[in-house]
Amino acid sequence: MNLAALPDLRAGRNPRAACLADDGVVLDNGRFAQTVRCAAGALAARGVSAGDVVAVMLPNISTFVVALFAAWRLGATVTPVNPALVPSEAGYQVSDAGARVLIIDNAGTDGAEAAAPRVLTARELTDHPPAAGPAADPAGDALALLIYTSGTTGKPKGVMLDHANVAAMCAMMIEAMRLTDADHSLLVLPLFHANGIMAGTLSPLLAGGQVTIAGRFSPTTFFDRVEASRATYFSAVPAIYTMLADLPPQVRPDTSSVRFGVCGAAPASVELLEKFQSRYGIPLIEGYGLSEGTCASTINPLDGVRKPGTVGLPLPGQAVRVVDAAGDPLPAGQAGEVLIAGPTVMRGYLNRPEETAKTIVDGWLHTGDIGRLDADGYLTLVDRAKDMIIRGGENIYPKEIEGVIYRLPEVAEAAVVGRPSAVYGEEPVLFVALNSGAELNVDAIAEHARKNLSKYKLPMVITICDELPKNPIGKIDKPALRKSLQSAATSTA
């Protein structure tokens, strides 16, 4: 499966068939292939060739997908950059990935632009004569994507996914979701996420279907897009399904075209799944995965027994194991760390061999998530990685926020924990203790955070304490802080 040649292949088969659309652009197969060749020409003119890295910092627009295939056409690697990152965060990723070119929507993202040798706007990318010659045919172990994920040390890590990883992931999704050339994906998740790229874009395109990019999600207009596009499926996070399930009763959309919806990125309650399905008649299939596994590792079967509350069975070609602290497999029903093996396991973290060696052991990806398998092989997630907060599908690592707060000289201790949110599932809250004699108010801390963190990472509440609780070995006792939040919520209920 040569992903780089897919635009040409689709155009050769049926140039007039629908391919890709967004809020303002509609591309058939022929036009899509031509646009990709023009973008490849623009990248080549800026010195991009096989082995280089192209950073794509675009919102959810068709040009993102064009840039992806244009880079692959030249044999280059793509690192998607979240447009919501502050300049220092985006600049770090561009620099760490060693990007030769940064593609942006419009000029003005200072930090990221300064870190890139060359910058291209979305308009400049497609306003260029087409590249000559056929698409590259990258080897399976050639790097296709560098997906950045936050680490417990606070610095994001580049997850190296090669073309074999991506091809295997798409093949598994096509089989599991029964995708054909009649399918139409409505993309509402961010394209800088593995899910948006794999489940929402590449899999339907490889199956011969089409993709409509919905742009910024809005619960009030979502079903208008469903009706207008006649989409057959979409993938979303529990926060989105919660907003849709809570729409006013008079909202009664035509969902007859939709075969199913995929729910992932964070645990969803059985009540939410049943509420959404009973209201709209759309089956929801829960899945589980992470960037280090290319996207997904388990999914409830589309045709077969779906067990609400579980994240389903391993995708075809993958294996899931639950082990104890010694690494020994546990029997059904017992909780332990979830391990994953198969052709979708990443090559490793960019320039981080020690962390790679800790994460991939004897071919098994150690997820850090706690779960249990039932007698039928369905996986239930019991807990997440120790401290990670999932806010509306976005992974937030407390140490990254804490690292920013510790830059304030008045701060002696900082701790971030998650508290429940009816809309987003969870949200970060910050506890701070000051150095003796220091003076600092909540507003000053909040302003410092706004300057250095993306909006979704900002603490919802900041509490200044005389001191933070400690466990017997002197470390900050985060379980005690979580309990204090629960107690406060109970007392105000």
Side-chain angles (χ1 to χ4, degrees), residues 275-322:
K275 182 178 181 180
F276 182 89
Q277 290 174 151
S278 62
R279 175 168 181 178
Y280 298 114
I282 300 173
L284 292 186
I285 53 175
E286 276 194 281
Y288 162 72
L290 57 168
S291 298
E292 289 87 343
T294 308
C295 178
S297 293
T298 69
I299 197 166
N300 267 283
L302 185 60
D303 302 315
V305 177
R306 293 198 300 274
K307 295 187 179 184
T310 78
V311 290
L313 298 165
L315 282 163
Q318 294 193 54
V320 174
R321 175 185 291 177
V322 173

Side-chain angles (χ1 to χ4, degrees), residues 67-160:
L68 188 71
F69 280 98
W72 287 345
R73 187 179 184 89
L74 300 175
T77 303
V78 172
T79 185
V81 184
N82 182 352
L85 295 181
V86 298
S88 60
E89 293 170 322
Y92 167 80
Q93 179 177 335
V94 171
S95 176
D96 188 72
R100 178 176 287 274
V101 169
L102 169 67
I103 301 171
I104 60 175
D105 197 17
N106 295 295
T109 50
D110 316 316
E113 291 184 31
R118 293 175 179 83
V119 177
L120 268 174
T121 66
R123 180 182 294 274
E124 291 171 334
L125 182 70
T126 54
D127 188 18
H128 195 279
D137 187 6
D141 61 358
L143 198 57
L145 290 166
L146 270 173
I147 305 287
Y148 272 72
T149 180
S150 294
T152 54
T153 59
K155 282 292 187 184
K157 299 173 291 188
V159 174
M160 297 189 292

Side-chain angles (χ1 to χ4, degrees), residues 5 12 17 39-40 52 55 62 87 90 131 170-171 218 248 280 294 304-305 324 327 358-359 362 384 403 407 458:
D52 288 331
S62 60
C170 291
S218 169
Y280 298 114
T294 308
V305 177
D324 60 19
K358 292 177 184 177
T359 305
D362 297 329
R384 297 186 299 277
R407 295 178 199 166
L458 294 176

Side-chain angles (χ1 to χ4, degrees), residues 15-68:
R16 299 300 180 192
C19 180
L20 179 67
D22 62 19
D23 291 341
V25 173
V26 177
L27 300 174
D28 61 19
N29 283 333
R31 185 60 182 163
F32 177 59
Q34 176 69 6
T35 306
V36 168
R37 288 194 291 270
C38 290
L43 291 175
R46 271 74 175 182
V48 174
S49 60
D52 288 331
V53 175
V54 174
V56 181
M57 189 174 176
L58 294 173
N60 269 29
I61 56 176
S62 60
T63 308
F64 188 111
V65 182
V66 169
L68 188 71

Side-chain angles (χ1 to χ4, degrees), residues 67-400:
L68 188 71
F69 280 98
W72 287 345
R73 187 179 184 89
L74 300 175
T77 303
V78 172
T79 185
V81 184
N82 182 352
L85 295 181
V86 298
S88 60
E89 293 170 322
Y92 167 80
Q93 179 177 335
V94 171
S95 176
D96 188 72
R100 178 176 287 274
V101 169
L102 169 67
I103 301 171
I104 60 175
D105 197 17
N106 295 295
T109 50
D110 316 316
E113 291 184 31
R118 293 175 179 83
V119 177
L120 268 174
T121 66
R123 180 182 294 274
E124 291 171 334
L125 182 70
T126 54
D127 188 18
H128 195 279
D137 187 6
D141 61 358
L143 198 57
L145 290 166
L146 270 173
I147 305 287
Y148 272 72
T149 180
S150 294
T152 54
T153 59
K155 282 292 187 184
K157 299 173 291 188
V159 174
M160 297 189 292
L161 303 176
D162 60 28
H163 280 269
N165 290 143
V166 175
M169 185 77 268
C170 291
M172 293 174 186
M173 287 184 166
I174 290 170
E175 179 179 348
M177 299 190 294
R178 307 288 190 265
L179 298 182
T180 70
D181 58 4
D183 276 299
H184 187 164
S185 165
L186 181 61
L187 180 65
V188 295
L189 294 180
L191 274 165
F192 59 82
H193 273 187
N195 192 309
I197 294 174
M198 302 295 169
T201 305
L202 295 183
S203 294
L205 291 180
L206 281 164
Q210 59 180 302
V211 178
T212 292
I213 300 171
R216 186 178 295 275
F217 171 77
S218 169
T220 58
T221 62
F222 174 76
F223 284 115
D224 293 337
R225 296 303 300 267
V226 170
E227 293 178 346
S229 65
R230 301 298 295 166
T232 61
Y233 81 97
F234 51 85
S235 182
V237 298
I240 287 178
Y241 288 115
T242 298
M243 288 185 270
L244 294 174
D246 290 339
L247 286 171
Q250 61 267 29
V251 177
R252 303 180 65 180
D254 176 7
T255 61
S256 59
S257 68
V258 183
R259 293 199 295 122
F260 63 92
V262 179
C263 184
S269 68
V270 174
E271 293 76 14
L272 171 60
L273 297 174
E274 291 178 347
K275 182 178 181 180
F276 182 89
Q277 290 174 151
S278 62
R279 175 168 181 178
Y280 298 114
I282 300 173
L284 292 186
I285 53 175
E286 276 194 281
Y288 162 72
L290 57 168
S291 298
E292 289 87 343
T294 308
C295 178
S297 293
T298 69
I299 197 166
N300 267 283
L302 185 60
D303 302 315
V305 177
R306 293 198 300 274
K307 295 187 179 184
T310 78
V311 290
L313 298 165
L315 282 163
Q318 294 193 54
V320 174
R321 175 185 291 177
V322 173
V323 302
D324 60 19
D328 296 323
L330 290 168
Q334 291 194 23
E337 184 181 11
V338 178
L339 273 56
I340 296 165
T344 57
V345 172
M346 67 172 180
R347 285 172 48 185
Y349 296 117
L350 179 68
N351 299 326
R352 288 170 171 80
E354 292 184 2
E355 291 190 55
T356 298
K358 292 177 184 177
T359 305
I360 304 175
V361 181
D362 297 329
W364 288 90
L365 175 67
H366 287 243
T367 68
D369 292 321
I370 306 301
R372 60 174 176 265
L373 294 166
D374 69 12
D376 299 319
Y378 287 72
L379 177 66
T380 298
L381 296 177
V382 177
D383 203 349
R384 297 186 299 277
K386 186 177 179 182
D387 291 324
M388 187 175 73
I389 299 164
I390 301 181
R391 181 185 186 274
E394 294 278 9
N395 293 348
I396 301 173
Y397 284 85
K399 282 196 174 181
E400 183 180 5

